[in-house]
Amino acid sequence: MDGVTDGLADLQPAEVPRPRETGAAAATRAGEIRPRWDWVEPTVWTKRMLTALEQGVKGGVWFSLIDKVYSPTTLRKAFAKVKANHGAAGVDHQTLAMFESRLDENLDELHRLLKEGRYRPQAVRRKWIPKPGKKQEERPLGIPTVRDRVAQTALRLVMEPIFERDFAEQSYGFRPKRGCKDALRRVTGLLRAGYTWVVDADLKSYFDSIPHGKLMERVRAKVADGRVLALIEAYLQQKVLDGMEEWTPEAGSPQGAVISPLLSNIYLDPLDQHMVRSGIEMVRYADDFVILCRTEGDARAALERVGAWTVEAGLTLHPDKTRIVDATQEGGFDFLGYHFECGRVDPSAKSLRKFKDAVRVETRRTNGHSLTAIVAKLNPKLRGWFEYFKQGLKRWSSRLDGWIRRRLRSILRKRHGGYGISSGREQVRWPNRYFAEQGLFSLREARATACQSATR
């Protein structure tokens, strides 16, 4: 692995968080609590509540949370987060701008409905979007109304710290101060440490198949406020509107709902804990996870454990997409957009297809915009892709730069009366230097700069 990937190494074993200190020991550390929880909403999670969170509440179960959810301050903070995420209108056709134009009235009404127990979520609008890297396949996205997104965000602001306190370390998806790069560092570190037999697992239709009853059991293990529980159940039983069809799902949590990522982590956390107690190295990001072992036998035993757990949990491992791989041999495995094989780290074939499709949209020969405008549209895509994939571009940066320039030369060729793709003549007429002068972002140059910084 090249110099840029050195920053991904992390050889510390994943551990279940230790129990929090209680009593006098915890009290003496009260001043240290806030820095550990700097991501929580301070108007919701006061110093007193954080102290209770650290020390542990009686029986490990929280009561009287609904007043925190419907607090006007919480609802206003929730709207700010919903607005920052943008998003489309739901079944009521109310946009964020429309909701904000009467913000005080809308939040006051939501406060009253939640406080009086009269709030009922509206149906979720289903929209089908292409699966990444798969033109012919689509996945469903649920779009709640703006009002429901605000209520769900308020609920998440209150609930998330309660469960985050004890989530296992090897879970990285949709968690505060964690992300894809952390999961990728962990995988890279384990591979370097000799954990090269990999269980590449896939949960079949996970978000659509979470059993509601079992999920609510896991929520009730820490939350005993009946009105909060009723609110969660109402979201799980929201009607789905797909065109003219409407139905109530019997399982699952809609992708696109604000509360779904937290609920999905709550449901899979027992699997995380089970793997840690068994001494098995698993790295999970939402429903995407890999298990890394030292031997083929260990990998097969780990897969057997996961298979047994999923059956008991009412889930299904995809029979065609779940496999055991020797990462030191050809074939390798994909995880979070990267491909790991024979000690190399590259963007996966799916990621490359998706990237090229995005570039093609902006570089059709029929594009009527100026080269300056085309470059301006391309550069943010190139920078964003580089920032995520710079650890795997050793073999790809120059190739992709050349491919992008060829497409731009084909545009210029057509504008000067030529036909077909660009040739050597266009490369002389518009050399690489020409596109650099136009400000085109170069993956190769950006990678060279990153390598120099890593070396220093």
Side-chain angles (χ1 to χ4, degrees):
M1 298 178 188
D2 61 271
V4 183
T5 61
D6 289 345
L8 291 179
D10 175 8
L11 303 183
Q12 295 302 314
E15 296 179 353
V16 179
R18 294 189 180 94
R20 269 50 174 183
E21 294 176 314
T22 59
T28 60
R29 295 180 176 272
E32 301 175 11
I33 292 176
R34 179 59 70 182
R36 287 197 294 275
W37 296 92
D38 58 358
W39 55 271
V40 305
E41 180 51 55
T43 59
V44 178
W45 284 90
T46 62
K47 185 176 178 180
R48 180 181 63 81
M49 284 187 65
L50 286 178
T51 301
L53 183 67
E54 289 262 326
Q55 293 179 357
V57 294
K58 185 176 181 180
V61 181
W62 288 76
F63 296 83
S64 303
L65 294 172
I66 190 65
D67 60 312
K68 313 294 188 302
V69 176
Y70 64 63
S71 162
T73 304
T74 306
L75 294 177
R76 193 164 291 274
K77 292 288 184 180
F79 173 76
K81 291 182 178 295
V82 170
K83 181 181 177 182
N85 288 331
H86 306 291
V91 294
D92 61 355
H93 306 292
Q94 186 178 46
T95 65
L96 277 165
M98 293 165 63
F99 190 93
E100 189 175 22
S101 68
R102 300 181 61 250
L103 184 60
D104 290 341
E105 297 95 315
N106 285 328
L107 293 183
D108 286 347
E109 180 186 22
L110 182 56
H111 163 75
R112 286 195 301 273
L113 291 173
L114 286 166
K115 184 176 182 179
E116 296 168 9
R118 296 188 295 112
Y119 167 79
R120 299 292 182 273
Q122 294 176 270
V124 172
R125 179 168 69 88
R126 173 161 285 189
K127 179 180 179 181
W128 292 88
I129 61 175
K131 283 190 174 182
K134 297 183 179 179
K135 293 182 180 179
Q136 305 303 320
E137 294 187 38
E138 295 182 314
R139 65 180 178 90
L141 181 68
I143 305 177
T145 63
V146 175
R147 185 193 72 165
D148 290 344
R149 297 206 295 272
V150 172
Q152 286 189 35
T153 302
L155 182 61
R156 181 178 61 80
L157 290 174
V158 173
M159 283 182 53
E160 190 169 34
I162 294 172
F163 291 91
E164 180 64 30
R165 174 187 186 271
D166 298 313
F167 277 161
E169 287 295 315
Q170 71 269 47
S171 161
Y172 296 90
F174 307 113
R175 293 184 59 188
K177 305 177 81 168
R178 288 168 170 253
C180 291
K181 286 299 181 73
D182 300 302
L184 291 164
R185 289 188 189 97
R186 184 67 187 142
V187 169
T188 303
L190 288 167
L191 288 171
R192 286 176 171 170
Y195 292 79
T196 56
W197 281 93
V198 180
V199 178
D200 183 10
D202 184 273
L203 288 172
K204 188 175 181 181
S205 302
Y206 171 63
F207 280 91
D208 292 332
S209 59
I210 303 173
H212 290 171
K214 291 178 181 289
L215 172 60
M216 290 307 301
E217 285 178 15
R218 291 173 188 176
V219 175
R220 289 189 189 96
K222 293 185 182 244
V223 174
D225 187 317
R227 292 174 63 183
V228 167
L229 295 172
L231 197 55
I232 296 170
E233 289 183 313
Y235 288 130
L236 293 176
Q237 295 166 9
Q238 272 180 282
K239 291 183 181 298
V240 176
L241 184 64
D242 188 352
M244 299 299 293
E245 294 185 45
E246 186 178 75
W247 72 93
T248 302
E250 297 180 358
S253 184
Q255 296 186 62
V258 177
I259 200 69
S260 285
L262 175 60
L263 295 179
S264 72
N265 276 333
I266 290 172
Y267 199 68
L268 286 181
D269 183 62
L271 173 61
D272 300 335
Q273 309 283 4
H274 177 54
M275 292 293 102
V276 172
R277 287 192 297 270
S278 302
I280 296 172
E281 294 288 359
M282 183 173 81
V283 181
R284 181 174 69 81
Y285 190 96
D287 60 332
D288 194 1
F289 64 91
V290 288
I291 299 170
L292 297 99
C293 305
R294 291 190 179 275
T295 68
E296 182 179 8
D298 289 345
R300 294 194 180 282
L303 178 56
E304 190 173 326
R305 281 181 179 272
V306 171
W309 186 91
T310 54
V311 169
E312 185 179 342
L315 304 174
T316 305
L317 284 174
H318 200 297
D320 299 325
K321 296 181 180 180
T322 300
R323 60 202 182 105
I324 293 176
V325 176
D326 180 357
T328 66
Q329 303 299 313
E330 290 188 8
F333 67 98
D334 293 349
F335 186 60
L336 300 182
Y338 275 83
H339 181 73
F340 298 84
E341 178 182 346
C342 300
R344 296 194 308 269
V345 182
D346 298 298
S348 68
K350 183 189 297 186
S351 298
L352 287 167
R353 284 197 302 271
K354 185 179 178 183
F355 171 73
K356 287 189 170 184
D357 286 345
V359 171
R360 286 188 181 101
V361 170
E362 305 298 341
T363 56
R364 295 190 179 98
R365 275 174 279 178
T366 55
N367 192 312
H369 297 290
S370 68
L371 184 63
T372 301
I374 294 172
V375 168
K377 290 287 291 294
L378 271 178
N379 279 349
K381 291 180 171 64
L382 301 182
R383 287 193 183 94
W385 202 78
F386 172 77
E387 283 303 317
Y388 187 77
F389 287 104
K390 60 186 174 185
Q391 283 81 13
L393 289 180
K394 182 177 183 179
R395 298 194 304 152
W396 285 99
S397 57
S398 294
R399 293 189 219 179
L400 291 173
D401 276 351
W403 176 76
I404 293 166
R405 286 192 297 263
R406 282 196 299 276
R407 292 192 63 83
L408 294 176
R409 288 189 184 105
S410 294
I411 295 174
L412 296 174
R413 173 187 172 95
K414 179 177 174 59
R415 291 179 182 178
H416 286 77
Y419 297 93
I421 62 174
S422 64
S423 61
R425 182 182 300 175
E426 279 71 36
Q427 190 164 351
V428 173
R429 188 173 186 180
W430 297 293
N432 296 353
R433 183 181 66 256
Y434 172 79
F435 295 103
E437 291 169 352
Q438 302 302 310
L440 179 66
F441 182 84
S442 167
L443 297 170
R444 179 178 177 276
E445 292 299 324
R447 185 181 177 280
T449 301
C451 284
Q452 290 172 1
S453 299
T455 301
R456 287 196 293 269

